[in-house]
Amino acid sequence: MASSPSAPGIPAARQVPDHIHRRRWAILSVLMLSLLIVVLDNSILNVAMKTIATPAPVGLGATQSELEWGINSYTLVFAGLLFTSGLLGDRLGRKKVLLFGLVVFGAGSVLAAFSGSPGELITFRAVMGLGGAFVMPSTLAILMNVFERDEQPKAIGIWAGGVGLAIAIGPIAGGLLLDHFWWGSVFLVNVPIVLIALTAMILLVPDSKDPSPGRLDPFGVLLSVVGLVLLVYGIIKGGQLADFTDPQVLGTVLGGLAVLSGFVLHQKRSDHPSIDIGYFRKPAFSAAVAAIALVFFALMGVTFFTVFYIQSVRGYTPLQAGLLILPLAAAQMIFAPRARLVVARFGSRVVCTVGMLLVAVTMSGMLLLDTDTPIWVLEVLFFVQGTGMAHIMPPVTVSIMQSLPREKAGSGSALNNTFRQVGGTLGVAVLGSLLSTTYRNGIQGKLDALPGVPADIRHAAGESIEATLGLAGKLGPAGRTLADSAEAAFIHAMHVTALGSAAVAVVGAVVVAVFLPGRTAPAPRVAVPHEPRKADAQR
């Protein structure tokens, strides 16, 4: 296997130069460090949300919708620019684009750390999203160009396992930082990691590009960004108003869908599209990107409410919350690098379908959680959920990346990440709004019955459990009843949201079972025909 890159029978376009091949695992380690930064940031933010929601001087007093936008401002910019960053990487060089992304991400982290208001935090998170958009596609594109096809599933499995490592490190690091420093430290910690990654990248990672790159598509990028912003803003606004029939909400959502429809039509007619619609004619590709979008839709919404369940309802500290997420991360680290072995035996369709069903089961298992449920129940759910994820992400990523030519790795990686981020964005928006709306409906009657509390304060207190508990704390002993009601209302809202997540995961399982090919073409089918010719040449 190690000698295959230099085998004369393999086409030159498929070869990895020998000096790069020898250091491929060191290069993968550097790429995982870049991946670690982006995933680490989001996992740390999940732990810090409760603190950021706390009024100043401890936090910023962010509302539920502001917390959602703290996540979505990053994700929307990230997703909207992935098309362009993938094309730029293929055109200008993936290493150059990756270095640029790391610098911007580091600068955005510093600015976010010293935000003075939720609005500033949302803005600087968008800057971080700009940097992240140039990091993520390049890591996977470079990986595809330093590993031969037969080693790509193993490398992608390890790459995906790096996500589990970041999920493990992030909450614990966030908890430790929040125990000893102010909330901004969870962003400032990115800076030394960025500096290390930049240095290692310059020294070790080779550059690569598409020898025949396409032209840029600024109009298509503009349509995608505008459409996503309008759509997600409308969904979040609907949750904030607890009314999805409000004209402002409907107008914004329908406007977003119309712009996104225009984007698809533009891509079909353009001779230099941001996304080649022809990719979606391949079942292995289209089913895989749909699976990514659906599973992240389900998971991101659950992650959003799980943090508040652990900290607000159960009373755990941020550090304890980080430790409680370890089973989810451990399962991904254990199983993601080995998923290729299961796929080799049973095929991608079976493995991914079972993985999706495991995710659906764990979502439904959230119904077991109450104010006094033994915490080991949550730990088991997390581990099974991580196991399911570990058997979804590597196979579908391999399916996407090996469906495309190696020289289009940047575009393929961009699509992989775009659907993941768009799915996650909509998951936070839709499921977060479902959580918010259900919670408000459950607690509003108790808030309305409070004597002497102004209407605007009652309305604000109904936005989230943190807001309600904040008001309860100001009411003294009389607030204990309100706090109990808030916990009960949140548990009910969490159960409703978990069922919604489970339903989405089941849809994902159906999509994978019906459309994902059973087995992808193994690498030897490419190499074996050349072996006889190689032997004949030697004779």
Side-chain angles (χ1 to χ4, degrees):
M1 185 177 296
S3 63
S4 61
S6 59
I10 297 179
R14 291 180 181 271
Q15 289 183 358
V16 175
D18 193 53
H19 69 284
I20 294 175
H21 179 76
R22 284 195 302 267
R23 66 173 190 262
R24 64 197 185 282
W25 298 110
I27 293 170
L28 177 59
S29 300
V30 177
L31 296 177
M32 287 178 64
L33 186 60
S34 302
L35 175 71
L36 175 70
I37 298 168
V38 178
V39 180
L40 179 74
D41 174 73
N42 282 313
S43 59
I44 282 182
L45 181 61
N46 287 332
V47 174
M49 282 194 297
K50 180 179 181 294
T51 305
I52 295 172
T54 305
V58 175
L60 294 176
T63 64
Q64 184 94 351
S65 59
E66 286 171 338
L67 288 173
E68 290 178 9
W69 272 108
I71 296 172
N72 286 328
S73 63
Y74 175 96
T75 309
L76 282 176
V77 174
F78 188 114
L81 293 178
L82 279 170
F83 299 131
T84 299
S85 68
L87 289 173
L88 281 175
D90 289 343
R91 186 186 189 91
L92 303 177
R94 290 143 192 156
K95 179 178 178 178
K96 297 183 185 71
V97 167
L98 181 50
L99 291 173
F100 169 78
L102 286 172
V103 171
V104 173
F105 189 88
S109 297
V110 174
L111 293 171
F114 294 100
S115 300
S117 67
E120 288 186 9
L121 178 60
I122 291 168
T123 300
F124 296 139
R125 285 280 297 163
V127 174
M128 295 172 68
L130 171 64
F134 285 85
V135 171
M136 284 291 279
S138 300
T139 60
L140 192 53
I142 292 171
L143 182 155
M144 298 300 291
N145 279 273
V146 299
F147 284 90
E148 293 292 349
R149 183 181 174 91
D150 57 348
E151 284 191 321
Q152 286 171 359
K154 180 179 180 181
I156 289 175
I158 295 172
W159 180 84
V163 175
L165 179 64
I167 292 173
I169 295 175
I172 296 172
L176 287 170
L177 290 169
L178 291 172
D179 276 356
H180 296 90
F181 305 100
W182 95 114
W183 63 267
S185 62
V186 302
F187 298 109
L188 207 57
V189 72
N190 293 330
V191 177
I193 306 176
V194 166
L195 294 175
I196 294 171
L198 282 170
T199 304
M201 195 75 57
I202 292 170
L203 294 176
L204 285 174
V205 176
D207 206 353
S208 62
K209 64 175 71 173
D210 184 351
S212 303
R215 285 162 38 213
L216 297 181
D217 180 26
F219 182 61
V221 170
L222 179 64
L223 287 177
S224 67
V225 173
V226 171
L228 284 169
V229 169
L230 288 174
L231 177 62
V232 177
Y233 176 81
I235 295 171
I236 292 175
K237 195 67 178 177
Q240 186 179 1
L241 298 175
D243 182 9
F244 283 88
T245 62
D246 184 276
Q248 180 184 357
V249 174
L250 281 177
T252 308
V253 169
L254 292 176
L257 291 173
V259 173
L260 290 174
S261 298
F263 168 74
V264 173
L265 292 174
H266 170 70
Q267 298 304 293
K268 286 184 176 181
R269 296 174 180 175
S270 175
D271 59 356
H272 57 284
S274 296
I275 172 176
D276 186 349
I277 302 298
Y279 292 158
F280 291 90
R281 297 191 184 100
K282 301 179 179 182
F285 184 89
S286 55
V289 294
I292 284 178
L294 289 169
V295 75
F296 272 86
F297 182 102
L299 282 173
M300 287 299 289
V302 168
T303 301
F304 194 81
F305 72 63
T306 301
V307 172
F308 287 96
Y309 170 74
I310 293 173
Q311 295 186 50
S312 299
V313 176
R314 301 304 299 265
Y316 289 97
T317 66
L319 175 57
Q320 290 170 332
L323 292 170
L324 288 173
I325 297 174
L326 274 178
L328 176 68
Q332 290 199 39
M333 286 191 291
I334 292 168
F335 295 111
R338 296 169 174 81
R340 74 188 192 284
L341 304 176
V342 187
V343 170
R345 180 169 182 178
F346 299 104
S348 297
R349 179 188 298 160
V350 171
V351 172
C352 291
T353 300
V354 173
M356 281 285 193
L357 291 175
L358 281 178
V359 171
V361 167
T362 57
M363 300 298 183
S364 302
M366 297 288 179
L367 297 177
L368 300 173
L369 302 179
D370 209 329
T371 55
D372 56 357
T373 303
I375 204 64
W376 63 261
V377 175
L378 179 63
E379 300 301 273
V380 171
L381 291 173
F382 274 157
F383 187 81
V384 176
Q385 190 175 92
T387 302
M389 281 292 294
H391 288 88
I392 297 170
M393 296 311 300
V396 297
T397 302
V398 170
S399 184
I400 290 171
M401 298 306 295
Q402 291 194 344
S403 296
L404 310 177
R406 174 175 279 172
E407 61 270 18
K408 300 297 181 184
S411 301
S413 178
L415 287 170
N416 174 64
N417 285 288
T418 296
F419 276 84
R420 187 184 71 179
Q421 291 299 326
V422 170
T425 299
L426 295 178
V428 171
V430 174
L431 297 176
S433 295
L434 175 62
L435 178 73
S436 179
T437 302
T438 308
Y439 175 75
R440 181 183 289 280
N441 291 338
I443 197 64
Q444 198 62 54
K446 299 292 183 181
L447 292 171
D448 290 341
L450 293 175
V453 178
D456 58 335
I457 294 179
R458 293 200 306 269
H459 182 82
E463 277 215 353
S464 68
I465 184 172
E466 271 306 302
T468 308
L469 293 177
L471 175 60
K474 297 176 182 178
L475 298 177
R480 185 60 253 174
T481 301
L482 179 61
D484 291 341
S485 298
E487 292 178 357
F490 181 84
I491 292 292
H492 173 68
M494 182 180 77
H495 289 167
V496 171
T497 307
L499 284 177
S501 299
V504 172
V506 169
V507 171
V510 172
V511 169
V512 168
V514 174
F515 297 107
L516 193 68
R519 295 181 186 274
T520 56
R525 291 177 61 180
V526 176
V528 165
H530 300 290
E531 291 301 325
R533 288 199 291 269
K534 175 182 175 184
D536 292 340
Q538 290 173 342
R539 293 192 192 101

